[in-house]
Amino acid sequence: MLYINGRFLTQPMTGVERYAYNICKALARLQQPFTIVCPKAPIHQDYDVSNLNIVHYGIGNSHFWEQCVLPFFFIGKKNYLVVSFTGLGSVLIPHKMMTIHDLAFLKNPSWYSRTYYWYYKLMTPLAVKTSQHILTVSEFSKSEILRFYPFIKGEKISVVYNAVNRQLFKCLSDVPPAKEPFVLCVSSIDPRKNFARLIEACQGLTEAKLYIVGNYNRVFGEQQLTSTSDHIHFLGRVSDQELVRLYNQAECFVFPSLYEGFGLPPLEAMACGCPVLVSDIPVEREVCADAAQYFNPLEPSEILRIIAQYLSNTDVIKETMRQKGYENLTRFSWEKSARALMEIIKTDC
């Protein structure tokens, strides 16, 4: 029997929660039987769980629930597998599969709060050693896991890609043009997303404004972003519907991240027909292939040059970028990822 760690359903939908939710929905569409075990806290409004089989269990809604309460649900059960799509899962559950989206906290501890860093530094090796199999979201992340945890055998790690909900993220025919041209950036506000250099670069941007969508998160190190330019606007967190509108209206999408396990927003932008400019880092080469323009994320002048160069391109070049984006998206789907997961479970668990 397949069970899913459902703690993510009580949290707002950000990157890792979106991964968990969409794979669950794809498994349901493929009529794969499974049960989500969830805390008794309310399901967050971001999720439509009408066709998901959910069991509420235990008390609390924190890491304590995941590590110490959830294991009691499986006492006396046999022939089960628990999958955690958003991270560690419980080290006390013997029959489990965990997901490592990235190892950014080991790559650069200063990006995170001390509490977050030490919790994951101590718990991740324990979770890895007690898991039957490990999922990750890119070949790059798989190589990072093998680099930081050399005791793991490569065959114990499988890549199950992110994808885009094409019912939601798509080109809209009824969206009016933006009142002013803008470049869009979407991400949580944390140091590895490299907003400081993007803002420095865009102080000199005159052809369009920069809109930044995203919120601060307490797990990341302190970072206060400000700008003296009236060309730069912080929009905070927006609804998915508003985000789709912004993707459709933007001149282009820019993603200056220094480190990612996958990086989903560039694919969301492509699905909405928004040309993509991204950091020249290995994982973005893997995900975006030839469907994006690349820049050195460490050089604000280079970021500005690529954005300005794109804005001055002809309509023919912009349309070519859009078409390459659509073609690239065919490599990824939640159904493909769900089928890959089912094959892993059948073969290795």
Side-chain angles (χ1 to χ4, degrees):
M1 179 63 186
L2 178 61
Y3 292 91
I4 308 297
N5 175 357
R7 180 172 172 250
F8 73 92
L9 287 175
T10 65
Q11 301 166 324
M13 191 188 298
T14 58
V16 297
E17 290 85 12
R18 193 178 295 277
Y19 178 83
Y21 174 67
N22 280 292
I23 287 190
C24 287
K25 297 291 277 189
L27 288 171
R29 288 193 295 272
L30 295 173
Q31 299 185 332
Q32 170 66 35
F34 66 97
T35 298
I36 301 177
V37 186
C38 189
K40 289 185 177 178
I43 302 293
H44 195 277
Q45 63 183 9
D46 287 348
Y47 307 97
D48 173 14
V49 297
S50 55
N51 66 334
L52 299 178
N53 182 29
I54 296 175
V55 173
H56 293 271
Y57 177 79
I59 59 172
N61 182 36
S62 63
H63 288 296
F64 178 81
W65 177 88
E66 188 172 62
Q67 294 298 332
C68 301
V69 177
L70 180 59
F72 283 95
F73 180 84
F74 297 98
I75 292 177
K77 289 183 170 59
K78 298 180 180 179
N79 301 319
Y80 70 87
L81 177 70
V82 183
V83 181
S84 292
F85 289 123
T86 58
L88 302 180
S90 174
V91 299
L92 299 177
I93 297 175
H95 306 296
K96 68 175 179 294
M97 181 184 294
M98 67 178 292
T99 306
I100 298 178
H101 288 263
D102 63 64
L103 291 174
F105 70 96
L106 293 178
K107 178 72 173 180
N108 192 331
S110 68
W111 290 338
Y112 294 87
S113 68
R114 286 188 177 183
T115 301
Y116 182 96
Y117 168 73
W118 282 108
Y119 178 79
Y120 280 91
K121 181 178 175 61
L122 295 172
M123 293 297 291
T124 302
L126 289 174
V128 165
K129 289 177 180 178
T130 57
S131 293
Q132 292 179 244
H133 204 85
I134 298 161
L135 302 177
T136 192
V137 292
S138 64
E139 294 294 340
F140 170 75
S141 277
K142 180 176 179 177
S143 70
E144 289 287 90
I145 296 167
L146 292 170
R147 180 165 73 93
F148 283 106
Y149 301 121
F151 59 85
I152 307 174
K153 294 181 179 180
E155 58 267 26
K156 192 179 179 180
I157 309 170
S158 296
V159 174
V160 176
Y161 281 124
N162 272 283
V164 174
N165 180 353
R166 299 299 298 275
Q167 300 298 320
L168 175 63
F169 294 96
K170 59 186 177 181
C171 289
L172 302 176
S173 59
D174 57 348
V175 173
K179 294 180 180 179
E180 54 190 8
F182 67 89
V183 173
L184 182 64
C185 183
V186 178
S187 178
S188 57
I189 309 295
D190 80 78
R192 68 174 166 141
K193 304 299 185 179
N194 202 28
F195 281 107
R197 290 187 181 91
L198 176 64
I199 289 170
E200 180 182 344
C202 289
Q203 301 285 347
L205 184 65
T206 58
E207 299 93 331
K209 298 195 174 184
L210 173 67
Y211 288 2
I212 296 175
V213 171
N215 266 355
Y216 291 93
N217 190 313
R218 61 186 176 82
V219 307
F220 302 116
E222 291 294 326
Q223 183 187 39
Q224 293 299 319
L225 297 176
T226 59
S227 170
T228 58
S229 172
D230 60 3
H231 284 272
I232 299 173
H233 299 270
F234 296 90
L235 305 185
R237 191 167 188 264
V238 302
S239 68
D240 281 347
Q241 290 70 29
E242 177 69 3
L243 181 57
V244 171
R245 181 187 68 80
L246 290 168
Y247 279 136
N248 272 265
Q249 290 181 321
E251 295 294 314
C252 62
F253 174 79
V254 61
F255 198 64
S257 184
L258 299 173
Y259 187 93
E260 293 289 333
F262 185 92
L264 187 55
L267 292 188
E268 294 175 348
M270 290 178 189
C272 296
C274 184
V276 170
L277 318 178
V278 297
S279 295
D280 194 355
I281 55 178
V283 72
E284 292 311 321
R285 289 282 181 177
E286 178 182 347
V287 172
C288 296
D290 67 346
Q293 291 190 19
Y294 294 90
F295 54 80
N296 181 351
L298 299 177
E299 295 292 340
S301 60
E302 168 76 354
I303 299 172
L304 176 60
R305 184 182 70 80
I306 292 296
I307 294 174
Q309 177 181 290
Y310 169 78
L311 292 174
S312 65
N313 278 338
T314 64
D315 290 341
V316 172
I317 293 175
K318 293 175 181 178
E319 182 59 29
T320 298
M321 287 188 66
R322 291 189 184 94
Q323 292 304 319
K324 286 185 175 182
Y326 297 143
E327 292 168 11
N328 184 57
L329 283 170
T330 63
R331 298 163 54 209
F332 309 96
S333 80
W334 290 118
E335 281 72 20
K336 286 182 181 179
S337 295
R339 289 190 180 96
L341 173 66
M342 290 163 60
E343 186 62 29
I344 293 162
I345 293 171
K346 178 182 176 182
T347 305
D348 296 330
C349 298

